[in-house]
Amino acid sequence: MPHTDAPWWTSATVYQIWPRSFADGDGDGVGDLAGIRSKLGHLHDLGVDVLWLSPIYRSPQADAGYDISDYDDIDPLFGTLDEFDELLAEVHALGMKLVMDLVVNHTSDQHPWFAESRSSVDSPERDWYVWRPRAADGSLPTEWRSFFSGPAWQLDPATDEHYLHMFAVGQPDLNWRNAEMRAAVHAMMNRWLDRGVDGFRMDVINFIAKTPASLEPGAAGFEMDPSVHDHLQEMHREVFAHRPDRQLITVGEMPGATVDDAVLFTDQQRHELDMVFQFEHVDLDHGPDSKFDVRPLRLSALKRSLARWQEGLADRGWNSLYLGNHDQPRLVSRFGDDGPYRVESATALAAVLHLHRGTPYVYQGDEIGMTNAGFTSIEQYRDVESLNWHEEALAAGASEADVLEALRSRSRDNARTPVQWSAGAAAGFTTGTPWIGVTANSAEVNVEADRASGERSVFDFTRRLIALRHELPVVQLGAFALLAPDDERLWAFTRTLGDERLLVLANCSGEPYDLDPGLDPVLRRRSVPDLVIGNTPHGIGSLTLGPWEVRVLRG
Ligand code: TEU
């Protein structure tokens, strides 16, 4: 590879494991470390470079592990520290890396830090969390709402003061103005890196610093304080700078971050983060006040949004690339067609995603085109966000049918059903009873069937895309240019590096699409162009794309 000064992760693909639903090794119906170990061959075959594990630490599981009560231990639901060490060694032996989730905007209310903090206003750890006195008139400290419905403040009887929780009641926010708390977090991170992990995905890391004004009485909601940059630079000095010989990766999850924010967070000269998860493109298909206010998505809005991020981070910083994760609906159901063109749309969207400039993230199950859950009753849901919103919306007068319709489209549980490994009982996920229902199409959509389906295998197509990033500098580093930005059916762009040039053409519709030869010089040439990858076996020279056909041409 000629561009040897580019960081290693410019050619890498990350695979996200949400352990609870990946694979169950002990038959209790919940995925675990033994299950992950049993499936490492699948991940190695796919060719991914990095595995990111959603939280496996000790937790009361109020928010599926994003509520941590002990950062230094594995929850018994998932296994033991010894099993973790074995898993890490096996991952490394297969040439992959392993990244942990770092959840330090908040802890569980069962964490010993919080037990100490809530015990008394004079506790030495009182200031490790965000406390506000009860107002004489009974009003809350601010107007902030929790992401999981209801106010973001909880009155704690022990001291008759409120604590802040941006998420569930059981997830009190840490106070990053406190230097001792920060030092405890750094020490914890250092222990995991000493153990051998290869980096962190940092949960809502732009939320750790709140402006003082946004915490004043009457303030409407969270505002990011610029000190977040100081905190990340300090973290870099205290944790990452010690390890120049290690190939580590950091990605900060940042709801609401702008392109300008991301440039600052990911400029390598500033020593903050390697990349961020931005949310602009997953916020285009809902109303301003709620993710459950479902709105239609225009393809032009989606591709223009991603293109703005491509341009904004072209010279400084780096993009992460994702269309789905454990908080989002399944990408094929949301952006593609989970009916007749499930395979075509899953592969077309995969090609578009993997061929942008940035580091792609594959969410478990997306490599076989898994779909939304299709739940029809509230009893089938497990996620705290969905259950709380259901209750709140009904109390506000919404109909059960409307609420279920919105959940069916947007609940996080859509992406949290068990990975479908086979057509067998419980989709081969567990020998027991799964903790959440298996999606009804598992007899048809599963790893075994997909991998046996030859040219129609989503897995094999994804594997080839990951390999292309390893092989082609133009995929890693080529400049991005969006074509036909206003077209509501065609997603087309080029990547250019020196003499190398790729043209990506994806028909994002279920009807044939006639290409305009004026779109790109490659289409006007008389010779049949060189197809780098495509999801339809025939018709390369034609100017018509089939339904959800993608073609990647060289030249
Ligand atoms: O998510 C942060 C976040 O703001 C959202 O994506 C959120 O989960 C929700 O869907 C908004 O409607 C992170 C984690 O990825 C998520 O799983 C956790 O629940 C959350 O932080 C709290 O730790």
Side-chain angles (χ1 to χ4, degrees), residues 143-347:
E143 301 296 313
W144 291 28
R145 307 279 303 163
S146 151
F147 278 94
F148 296 158
S149 301
W153 295 96
Q154 180 71 18
L155 190 66
D156 196 44
T159 55
D160 204 35
E161 291 195 342
H162 290 97
Y163 68 84
L164 177 68
H165 61 91
M166 291 183 73
F167 293 92
V169 175
Q171 290 170 299
D173 278 50
L174 287 162
N175 174 21
W176 277 72
R177 294 184 182 276
N178 185 294
E180 285 166 22
M181 186 284 289
R182 295 201 305 274
V185 168
H186 301 153
M188 174 269 284
M189 293 172 73
N190 276 313
R191 288 192 292 276
W192 281 103
L193 290 173
D194 288 344
R195 212 172 187 105
V197 307
D198 301 291
F200 298 98
R201 174 271 187 185
M202 303 185 185
D203 194 63
V204 289
I205 202 71
N206 59 328
F207 288 179
I208 60 175
K210 290 107 174 143
T211 62
S214 72
L215 287 167
E216 290 296 318
F222 166 78
E223 279 170 15
M224 185 177 82
D225 191 75
S227 63
V228 64
H229 295 288
D230 304 327
H231 296 325
L232 290 174
Q233 288 171 13
E234 179 190 58
M235 181 185 281
H236 189 273
R237 283 194 305 277
E238 298 297 325
V239 178
F240 300 105
H242 300 170
R243 309 165 193 274
D245 49 324
R246 298 267 301 271
Q247 292 198 323
L248 304 176
I249 182 171
T250 58
V251 50
E253 189 212 23
M254 299 200 178
T258 64
V259 176
D260 291 342
D261 293 331
V263 170
L264 297 179
F265 283 119
T266 67
D267 177 350
Q268 289 289 300
Q269 303 305 315
R270 291 172 54 90
H271 302 296
E272 296 185 19
L273 296 171
D274 294 331
M275 60 196 92
V276 305
F277 288 134
Q278 55 100 358
F279 279 63
E280 197 180 282
H281 65 300
V282 291
D283 285 334
L284 297 170
D285 55 358
H286 63 74
D289 299 326
S290 166
K291 68 178 264 185
F292 294 111
D293 176 9
V294 179
R295 304 278 173 89
L297 175 67
R298 293 167 71 90
L299 181 71
S300 58
L302 177 64
K303 62 191 187 180
R304 276 178 181 282
S305 168
L306 288 176
R308 278 196 335 105
W309 283 78
Q310 293 282 296
E311 286 154 21
L313 297 179
D315 301 324
R316 272 206 294 165
W318 189 250
N319 272 294
S320 71
L321 307 170
Y322 76 95
L323 290 174
N325 59 37
H326 66 297
D327 293 332
Q328 302 291 334
R330 284 288 177 182
L331 72 88
V332 72
S333 299
R334 184 185 200 175
F335 303 114
D337 176 346
D338 61 9
Y341 296 115
R342 185 185 65 81
V343 167
E344 290 80 358
S345 63
T347 46

Side-chain angles (χ1 to χ4, degrees), residues 461-528:
F461 192 85
T462 309
R463 180 188 65 70
R464 287 159 58 206
L465 288 168
I466 293 166
L468 278 180
R469 178 169 294 274
H470 290 153
E471 288 156 16
L472 300 181
V474 67
V475 173
Q476 298 151 15
L477 299 170
F480 175 96
L482 184 67
L483 305 179
D486 297 323
D487 196 302
E488 297 297 350
R489 294 171 58 211
L490 182 72
W491 199 338
F493 57 89
T494 58
R495 301 288 310 283
T496 311
L497 187 70
D499 297 341
E500 288 183 84
R501 187 166 181 278
L502 297 181
L503 171 64
V504 179
L505 301 166
N507 173 8
C508 296
S509 82
E511 305 293 326
Y513 182 95
D514 292 325
L515 290 162
D516 170 2
L519 184 71
D520 190 272
V522 172
L523 301 177
R524 293 193 292 275
R525 274 195 220 140
R526 267 192 286 165
S527 55
V528 175

